[in-house]
Amino acid sequence: MGSVLLLLVLTGICYGFWLQRKQDERASLLAKQLCQQQELQLLDCARQKYCFKKHNGSLRFLTSYQVDFSGDGESRYQAELLLSGMRLAAFQLPAYRV
């Protein structure tokens, strides 16, 4: 019984890691697409934190990503990308120099 429980726990951890990697890849793809739409240069996209926030009237578990970009090729700015599961919840782009 103990070995079955250990196997289930290990499988759950591996599955959680796999889902997180999949979400990280999705965030990078979304950041790239959003920067292309705004004609910005994507520099970096990294997971920042997990949080519970109210989104569209309900409490959601969101993953926050920090997206570094450049508008002129010299400056570096930070935007925030929020994912709810694999869906884009919000993209907060600060003012930047063109």
Side-chain angles (χ1 to χ4, degrees), residues 12-32:
I13 290 171
C14 290
Y15 183 68
F17 178 77
W18 176 74
L19 282 178
Q20 188 58 62
R21 289 298 309 141
K22 191 173 178 181
Q23 189 180 41
D24 290 347
E25 291 171 6
R26 176 79 174 139
S28 294
L29 179 68
L30 284 172
K32 182 178 179 182

Side-chain angles (χ1 to χ4, degrees), residues 10-80:
L10 185 61
T11 303
I13 290 171
C14 290
Y15 183 68
F17 178 77
W18 176 74
L19 282 178
Q20 188 58 62
R21 289 298 309 141
K22 191 173 178 181
Q23 189 180 41
D24 290 347
E25 291 171 6
R26 176 79 174 139
S28 294
L29 179 68
L30 284 172
K32 182 178 179 182
Q33 290 173 350
L34 291 167
C35 284
Q36 284 177 351
Q37 288 175 358
Q38 300 291 327
E39 297 180 2
L40 300 171
Q41 179 185 6
L42 176 65
L43 301 175
D44 193 21
C45 180
R47 186 176 346 114
Q48 191 173 23
K49 64 182 176 179
Y50 300 104
C51 58
F52 282 102
K53 283 189 179 179
K54 203 164 198 167
H55 182 68
N56 292 338
S58 61
L59 192 62
R60 303 274 179 161
F61 182 72
L62 300 174
T63 307
S64 174
Y65 289 87
Q66 179 179 323
V67 178
D68 293 347
F69 68 93
S70 177
D72 60 2
E74 293 179 11
S75 304
R76 186 177 193 101
Y77 300 97
Q78 293 178 350
E80 183 181 30

